[in-house]
Amino acid sequence: MYKIITIDGPASVGKSTLAKKLAKKYKSPILFSGRLYRAVALELIKRKSDPNNIQNILRCVDCIDLNRLDSKELYSSEVDNLSSIISSKKKLRSKLIMFQKNFPKKYGRGSEFAIVEGRDIGTVIFPDADYKIFLWADPEIRARRRYEQIIKSGKIASFKRIFSEINARDRKDLTRKIAPLMPAANSVLLDTSYIDIEQAFNALKKIIFKN
Ligand code: DC
């Protein structure tokens, strides 16, 4: 029977990179829960729908195409911002709960783990998960990493803009009334500010396998 690993943390902390590394090593499925919120935001943008109208938002949930959750379109800065705004809506969060809860049952059979990453996975979606990880890194360091990643890919970026967007998303994620970003009870806090991705991965394996 698979074990559930939850990985929560702020924007650009390395959740998805670490989740992918775990998934690859242990041949286990991952759900990037942020992509559900991103897909709804993208649909709102495409339809030019008013994002303040909850009925518009809920209609977009029905259009989520699970086969297109790895689309690059989900990662524009417009989608970054709108997904963060709509994710504070209680009705949207409720509508996405069952999909997230059903993910391990549906995709975890035969695997060692089912990995789910996001903001409220250890607190709300799987409070009884086998392993709950809370990742953190200083916002300026996260912005620097994001900036270098974009420059490395040959694109132009502004560090100042990235830093201010990360701070704005942190503020929204940490202070919203419904399911704010916070460490779950019994979670393990891993601060990656001064370690690289391989060191963070080794630390994660130690947490999971306790050796
Ligand atoms: O992890 P991400 O950057 O892809 O998430 C996009 C947005 O979705 C993020 O700003 C907050 C929201 N989100 C959330 O509220 N709860 C989750 N479990 C995952 C993401």
Side-chain angles (χ1 to χ4, degrees):
M1 176 72 172
Y2 56 80
K3 292 195 160 129
I4 297 180
I5 301 177
T6 68
I7 305 181
D8 288 302
S12 296
V13 74
K15 298 183 298 291
S16 47
T17 309
L18 286 169
K20 276 184 208 159
K21 281 175 89 67
L22 276 178
K24 190 169 174 207
K25 180 147 176 83
Y26 301 105
K27 298 188 179 58
S28 300
I30 330 173
L31 173 64
F32 302 97
S33 63
R35 292 187 187 177
L36 301 172
Y37 296 90
R38 286 176 181 274
V40 173
L42 180 62
E43 191 64 29
L44 281 166
I45 294 167
K46 283 188 170 165
R47 294 176 175 205
K48 298 192 171 58
S49 275
D50 175 5
N52 296 308
N53 179 322
I54 186 67
Q55 294 312 327
N56 286 347
I57 297 177
L58 297 179
R59 264 195 291 276
C60 289
V61 175
D62 300 323
C63 302
I64 294 180
D65 181 350
L66 297 179
N67 297 315
R68 302 207 51 216
L69 285 182
D70 50 6
S71 159
K72 283 209 169 78
E73 281 184 302
L74 296 178
Y75 285 88
S76 68
S77 73
E78 200 182 356
V79 172
D80 283 355
N81 292 330
L82 187 56
S83 58
S84 178
I85 291 168
I86 60 172
S87 64
S88 63
K89 310 275 184 203
K90 187 170 184 227
K91 286 187 177 160
L92 172 61
R93 301 200 74 86
S94 305
K95 198 160 176 182
L96 292 175
I97 282 181
M98 279 327 283
F99 176 81
Q100 296 172 81
K101 281 193 188 287
N102 287 335
F103 173 81
K105 281 179 240 158
K106 213 165 160 187
Y107 297 98
R109 202 178 308 142
S111 303
E112 191 165 359
F113 301 110
I115 304 160
V116 187
E117 66 96 350
R119 302 291 188 290
D120 63 337
I121 308 303
T123 49
V124 175
I125 309 293
F126 294 113
D128 299 323
D130 301 277
Y131 306 100
K132 296 192 276 186
I133 315 293
F134 190 83
L135 288 181
W136 186 255
D138 180 86
E140 193 171 341
I141 291 174
R142 281 184 273 137
R144 176 72 51 202
R145 287 177 185 158
R146 182 88 194 101
Y147 170 78
E148 280 163 6
Q149 198 180 39
I150 297 173
I151 296 294
K152 215 170 146 188
S153 73
K155 297 197 188 115
I156 296 169
S158 150
F159 173 75
K160 228 169 129 184
R161 181 168 169 202
I162 293 171
F163 186 37
S164 99
E165 282 175 359
I166 281 188
N167 277 322
R169 287 177 68 199
D170 278 4
R171 215 166 20 249
K172 286 196 206 93
D173 292 346
L174 289 160
T175 62
R176 69 178 176 225
K177 289 205 183 76
I178 318 291
L181 171 64
M182 62 176 179
N186 302 325
S187 58
V188 178
L189 172 68
L190 180 58
D191 187 329
T192 68
S193 300
Y194 301 104
I195 56 176
D196 66 19
I197 205 75
E198 284 309 319
Q199 289 169 313
F201 186 50
N202 286 333
L204 264 188
K205 285 188 289 185
K206 279 196 179 138
I207 292 166
I208 292 166
F209 296 105
K210 299 188 175 58
N211 60 29

